[in-house]
Amino acid sequence: MKNFLAIVTSVYCLGILSCRHIQFNFWIAALFGIILTALAALFKKNELIFLCFLLSASFLAGYLSLHNSLILPKRDIANFHQIKKAGETILDGFMASALEEKGGAFEFILSVRQVQSGNLSWSSCGKVLVRMDFWLPLTYGKNLKIAGVLNQNPGFKGGYNDFLKRQGIYLSMQIKDRRQITLVPGQGGNKLISFCLGLRAKLESVISRYLDEISAGMLNAMVLGERKQISRLVNDYMVKSGTVHILVVSGFNVGIVAFVCNLIFKFMRIRRKLRIILAIICLFVYCLVTGASNPVIRATVMGIIFLFSYFLKKEPDIGASLTAAALLILVIRPGELFDIGFQLSFASVLSIAFLYPQLSRYLGLEKCKPRALKFIFSGCLVSLCAWAGTLFIIAFNFHIVTPIAVLANILVVPLATLITLSGFAMLIAGLCLPFLAQVFSFPVSALIKLLLSVNSAVLKIPFAYFYI
Amino acid sequence: MLTTEEKKALIFLLTLFFCGLILGNLAKSSQEIKKFTRPCVELTKLNLNRVSLEELDSLKCIPKKLSLEIINYRNARQKGFESIEELKEIKGIGPKRYQRLKELFFLE
């Protein structure tokens, strides 16, 4: 079944890919899809014919899901703007994201409810990116009325605009004057997301209270997935050494959260099954706190499947959980297949999961002694597999090849592990026992400085990286 | 390769997925703009101490006579309007009209 799931997922991905190049009518494709599924049901006793029909239906399902995600509701604000180039517009809605600083300006996403153009007003939907030249104390869910000129995001060819398009954001509005924004009483949005973003803000304040700017920026990225404080220089250094993945919340962080939660609940003498359920809830909250990016969703789904298999006392399967995570993300947001973060996240885990056992067996790593040597070799091999798995994606998209990544990761990843662990300890202490957080902050800061020094040292090695 | 139950489950999920896609598509195409309303408040706020009689006249929610009253009230005072609430003092602006007008103006 697990291999079959992987085949279905691959065919589904092919369907998504085909949607970019071939254009079918939605209703004809949907009709074909239903007919193929019905035929698969009819021929379910014949293995080969069943497989052919089911895979063809999966292909069409992939095609249709991307096709459907690109269709906007008729009253969507983006449709209105394409028809009529409006001048000044008033948008009524709520903040669908937290306020973020980007390039000296402040941005947030407004979920539109009502539009007013000229002397006409109508109910609408959709999202608009709002850019402000100034700061205002705005948080997720705040009801707002914004006046300004709507602009179409240019091009949508790669980069940030492409990312916005995948989020369904086609328009932006520049705010230069405070008078353009009016706060409306009431609160919109989801209460759970609001709670998680509030918790995130609290954790960010703990980090910035106890650490200097560079260390706070690094820890924010490593633990909360917030990269806005990372300086361009540090980011460039990490990209060149192939260690930038440590600045993203991924499976490793999710694993730590699951482990810490399990440990705390065990300490509280909570029963095993309840402990697992509570750990799953904590993973879900952590996913929302860190912004639910692709690597976090992948890791959370995998983590939940792993915990669930422990719940059922069954052996967890990496391949099946990875496939299930990919399928879940692509069913919800099919456009994510074209996201580099999604590709890198799955390619690295896929190559570690499948390449590492093969290479380990081939090199006879199991028989390697002493244990310390085996541990080091294993680390090298994992790093090599992850590097090999992502090599072509990075070279194609970023035009950089980083041979030093294998060595850099062997040195940097253990340090990042320690930083993340002590960072989590500092955060928990910061919320419960502030005096302890102060003590924990010293080793965190020292480890981050050591990591940056190691990273810049490896970059001095000749041919550490080169552009293509 | 697959058991009958697994096949049934896959067919069920796929059918459900297709139904979801079709219903999603229908829901999107049915979300049309049902009605347009004409709000009293115009798009941009006007500076109460700088707005001209012509500009006030062009606003549908202010009668011509009242526009003149507002300008006269402003000209009669050296500093002009000091707060939006002063609009209440003008003859012809009751609490209801004031609620609408206060959205229309701002003061520097």
Side-chain angles (χ1 to χ4, degrees):
Chain A
M1 178 68 182
K2 65 183 180 186
N3 292 335
F4 189 77
L5 192 67
I7 296 167
V8 168
T9 309
S10 310
V11 174
Y12 181 82
C13 291
L14 279 176
I16 294 173
L17 279 172
S18 72
C19 188
R20 275 213 161 176
H21 307 288
I22 313 163
Q23 288 299 314
F24 287 126
N25 180 288
F26 177 86
W27 294 104
I28 295 172
L31 187 71
F32 265 107
I34 290 170
I35 291 171
L36 286 168
T37 314
L39 286 170
L42 276 174
F43 290 97
K44 63 174 179 288
K45 281 182 184 164
N46 188 323
E47 200 76 41
L48 193 69
I49 299 174
F50 170 79
L51 208 68
C52 286
F53 284 132
L54 196 85
L55 292 181
S56 309
S58 307
F59 178 85
L60 281 176
Y63 175 88
L64 288 171
S65 66
L66 184 65
H67 192 291
N68 212 23
S69 72
L70 296 174
I71 298 171
L72 295 172
K74 279 190 177 169
R75 65 189 181 103
D76 193 287
I77 178 94
N79 280 339
F80 154 74
H81 192 73
Q82 280 162 12
I83 299 163
K84 186 186 169 190
K85 295 257 180 224
E88 192 101 347
T89 313
I90 291 183
L91 303 176
D92 199 334
F94 68 89
M95 276 180 76
S97 76
L99 191 69
E100 280 184 27
E101 194 189 346
K102 245 181 201 129
F106 296 89
E107 286 185 357
F108 67 87
I109 295 161
L110 184 85
S111 185
V112 181
R113 285 196 199 114
Q114 192 88 14
V115 182
Q116 187 183 331
S117 180
N119 55 0
L120 286 179
S121 173
W122 63 95
S123 71
S124 183
C125 63
K127 290 173 186 169
V128 171
L129 181 78
V130 181
R131 284 197 186 98
M132 302 194 297
D133 291 351
F134 49 89
W135 183 83
L136 274 179
L138 299 173
T139 50
Y140 172 86
K142 277 254 189 318
N143 281 340
L144 300 171
K145 208 176 239 190
I146 303 173
V149 179
L150 278 171
N151 295 306
Q152 204 143 15
N153 295 332
F156 292 132
K157 280 178 185 164
Y160 188 49
N161 279 339
D162 215 6
F163 168 77
L164 289 175
K165 189 189 172 190
R166 279 198 298 275
Q167 309 293 313
I169 303 161
Y170 296 85
L171 301 171
S172 62
M173 190 183 266
Q174 188 78 34
I175 305 288
K176 290 184 174 171
D177 195 314
R178 280 165 200 265
R179 287 192 300 255
Q180 286 176 266
I181 293 190
T182 318
L183 274 172
V184 179
Q187 191 87 0
N190 187 305
K191 291 235 162 66
L192 182 66
I193 297 176
S194 188
F195 163 76
C196 290
L197 289 175
L199 182 64
R200 179 199 179 115
K202 213 169 249 181
L203 294 173
E204 275 179 7
S205 74
V206 169
I207 291 176
S208 55
R209 199 182 311 146
Y210 296 111
L211 295 174
D212 59 277
E213 205 178 326
I214 294 174
S215 307
M218 289 282 286
L219 197 66
N220 257 326
M222 291 167 83
V223 176
L224 300 177
E226 181 57 72
R227 292 178 67 175
K228 68 183 176 197
Q229 282 177 29
I230 296 273
S231 71
R232 193 177 277 261
L233 188 74
V234 171
N235 192 61
D236 272 5
Y237 268 43
M238 306 298 265
V239 169
K240 284 171 184 170
S241 64
T243 54
V244 75
H245 62 91
I246 65 159
L247 300 179
V248 181
V249 171
S250 62
F252 168 66
N253 306 56
V254 173
I256 289 178
V257 171
F259 173 75
V260 170
C261 290
N262 199 38
L263 204 71
I264 293 170
F265 297 139
K266 205 171 183 177
F267 188 69
M268 290 161 76
R269 305 220 177 268
I270 294 172
R271 281 185 299 131
R272 187 179 153 275
K273 284 194 174 176
L274 186 63
R275 215 163 58 212
I276 292 171
I277 293 167
L278 288 173
I280 288 173
I281 293 168
C282 289
L283 283 192
F284 186 67
V285 170
Y286 182 66
C287 178
L288 291 176
V289 166
T290 52
S293 60
N294 277 328
V296 186
I297 296 177
R298 176 196 51 75
T300 308
V301 172
M302 286 180 74
I304 289 172
I305 292 172
F306 268 57
L307 285 170
F308 202 67
S309 53
Y310 285 126
F311 186 85
L312 298 172
K313 292 185 178 171
K314 283 189 175 177
E315 193 65 32
D317 186 281
I318 298 176
S321 60
L322 192 67
T323 316
L327 197 59
L328 187 81
I329 294 172
L330 292 175
V331 163
I332 299 166
R333 291 191 295 212
E336 294 300 318
L337 186 66
F338 307 103
D339 180 58
I340 301 163
F342 176 90
Q343 293 163 8
L344 286 173
S345 174
F346 279 91
S348 56
V349 179
L350 207 68
S351 56
I352 290 170
F354 296 103
L355 209 62
Y356 173 75
Q358 307 283 340
L359 281 176
S360 173
R361 210 173 302 126
Y362 180 74
L363 296 171
L365 212 65
E366 294 299 313
K367 293 165 195 164
C368 182
K369 275 181 187 171
R371 275 182 75 179
L373 203 65
K374 186 183 165 184
F375 181 75
I376 292 168
F377 279 142
S378 302
C380 293
L381 210 55
V382 168
S383 184
L384 184 73
C385 292
W387 177 74
T390 54
L391 176 68
F392 292 107
I393 301 170
I394 292 172
F396 182 75
N397 290 293
F398 304 109
H399 311 287
I400 189 170
V401 178
T402 54
I404 202 67
V406 179
L407 174 69
N409 275 296
I410 294 162
L411 301 170
V412 164
V413 169
L415 281 173
T417 311
L418 282 175
I419 292 167
T420 313
L421 277 170
S422 31
F424 272 115
M426 192 191 98
L427 283 177
I428 295 167
L431 293 176
C432 319
L433 306 156
F435 65 94
L436 209 58
Q438 181 78 51
V439 180
F440 287 168
S441 69
F442 298 122
V444 174
S445 188
L447 283 166
I448 288 172
K449 280 179 183 118
L450 181 65
L451 185 143
L452 290 174
S453 310
V454 168
N455 195 63
S456 49
V458 292
L459 280 180
K460 285 177 186 153
I461 296 170
F463 305 109
Y465 65 93
F466 53 88
Y467 289 98
I468 51 169
Chain B
M1 193 179 167
L2 287 171
T3 63
T4 316
E5 281 71 31
E6 284 171 344
K7 281 178 185 172
K8 279 180 185 170
L10 276 169
I11 289 166
F12 173 73
L13 287 174
L14 212 54
T15 313
L16 203 66
F17 189 66
F18 278 118
C19 290
L21 285 173
I22 290 167
L23 289 174
N25 193 291
L26 282 173
K28 279 181 181 177
S29 53
S30 67
Q31 282 185 21
E32 289 177 337
I33 301 167
K34 282 178 185 138
K35 64 169 184 179
F36 287 95
T37 51
R38 282 183 184 275
C40 180
V41 179
E42 286 290 333
L43 275 179
T44 45
K45 289 192 175 188
L46 299 165
N47 188 339
L48 195 51
N49 282 329
R50 287 190 187 180
V51 67
S52 66
L53 183 63
E54 287 77 23
E55 280 173 314
L56 280 180
D57 277 344
S58 68
L59 301 176
K60 279 171 190 139
C61 53
I62 302 179
K64 284 196 174 180
K65 201 178 165 188
L66 191 60
S67 306
L68 199 64
E69 288 281 352
I70 292 170
I71 299 293
N72 285 342
Y73 182 91
R74 187 179 72 191
N75 293 343
R77 313 180 104 217
Q78 213 173 22
K79 286 182 182 175
F81 285 95
E82 282 180 20
S83 79
I84 302 280
E85 281 201 9
E86 283 176 30
L87 280 170
K88 284 183 193 170
E89 292 170 30
I90 297 170
K91 197 183 166 191
I93 301 181
K96 209 172 177 182
R97 193 188 290 273
Y98 170 73
Q99 287 301 323
R100 279 192 254 157
L101 289 184
K102 73 170 187 185
E103 296 289 328
L104 201 60
F105 300 110
F106 73 90
L107 286 172
E108 269 183 338

